[in-house]
Amino acid sequence: MRFRHADTIWARFPELASGALYATGVGPGVDTGPRAAEYTARARSRLAGTTEGEFPEVLAWRRAFSRLGVKPTQYRCASESLLRRLRKEGALPRIHPLVDLCNALSVAYAIPVAVLDVDRIAGPLLEVRPAGGDETYTAFGGGVERPAPGEVTFVDCAGRAHARRWTHRQSGHSSVGEQTRRVLVVAEAMHDGGAEIVPELLKTVEEEVAAHWGAVGAVTESALLTRPAPDFTFGG
């Protein structure tokens, strides 16, 4: 399978820094809580000095959303939503050991991190691109939506959208659950310095997967996606 950003995305957002990691063998039977707590503590420390809306990483995504015609305080990027929840509620939701870990890394680095169930994606290509208007999106509640033409989303070869408003919200169809064994992790940054932060984050994910799932034979491969970049080919 291949993952890429369309040329139109790179042309419109040359400041984008993106990376992807494929991992297999990541079942639910491990405890990532202590490590996730360490990363979450980093975010809490940063939030003690200011709100997430002042973070340069968040402001960069707000500017990107505004350029797309999306109201950035109505539709927040995933990392801002998680940081806001952490600041208001003091904790993040518990979903799945890998998702919990990636959510904690997302708030620690203040950039969106998506985790998708690869076996729920129709290959051979998953592409970040503007919607044509005929894609279908499954909400977490089970309802079906259609992203508006021009809305940036992750689209597979079956015309299924795996996100709304780019980094705002993932799809319930490809969400990670107890049955998940193969995942695609995507990190995307828009701020100055993102090209250095994204590979650091991906390396951390690789190390955590090896530490927690290595005993059961977990395998990872990753790539930094820059402009111009080849497709990230993964999973054989």
Side-chain angles (χ1 to χ4, degrees), residues 16-97:
L16 171 66
S18 179
L21 178 143
Y22 168 74
T24 183
V26 288
V30 302
D31 181 12
T32 59
R35 293 295 291 159
E38 291 183 26
Y39 296 122
T40 304
R42 284 169 49 181
R44 283 200 191 92
S45 177
R46 193 173 177 189
L47 286 168
T50 186
T51 65
E52 66 282 353
E54 299 299 320
F55 291 6
E57 301 91 338
V58 169
L59 289 170
W61 272 108
R62 286 189 178 188
R63 289 192 294 270
F65 276 25
S66 293
R67 286 160 59 189
L68 291 169
V70 176
K71 294 182 179 179
T73 54
Q74 180 179 1
Y75 301 105
R76 295 175 168 85
C77 74
S79 54
E80 180 179 0
S81 295
L82 287 170
L83 283 161
R84 192 166 185 259
R85 180 166 182 168
L86 180 62
R87 175 173 56 83
K88 292 191 168 190
E89 301 180 13
L92 297 178
R94 299 293 295 271
I95 300 169
H96 177 280

Side-chain angles (χ1 to χ4, degrees), residues 77-127:
C77 74
S79 54
E80 180 179 0
S81 295
L82 287 170
L83 283 161
R84 192 166 185 259
R85 180 166 182 168
L86 180 62
R87 175 173 56 83
K88 292 191 168 190
E89 301 180 13
L92 297 178
R94 299 293 295 271
I95 300 169
H96 177 280
L98 182 59
V99 175
D100 298 347
L101 189 63
C102 288
N103 281 347
L105 285 165
S106 180
V107 295
Y109 286 92
I111 62 175
V113 179
V115 188
L116 301 94
D117 186 327
V118 169
D119 291 314
R120 302 288 286 170
I121 299 170
L125 175 66
L126 177 66
E127 184 175 46

Side-chain angles (χ1 to χ4, degrees), residues 7 11-12 31 38-39 50 69 75 89-90 109 133 143 151 162 167 180 192 200 209 215 227 232:
D7 290 342
R12 192 165 184 185
D31 181 12
E38 291 183 26
Y39 296 122
T50 186
Y75 301 105
E89 301 180 13
Y109 286 92
E151 178 183 328
H162 293 273
T167 56
T180 302
D192 290 342
E200 179 184 326
V209 169
R227 186 191 184 206
F232 174 42

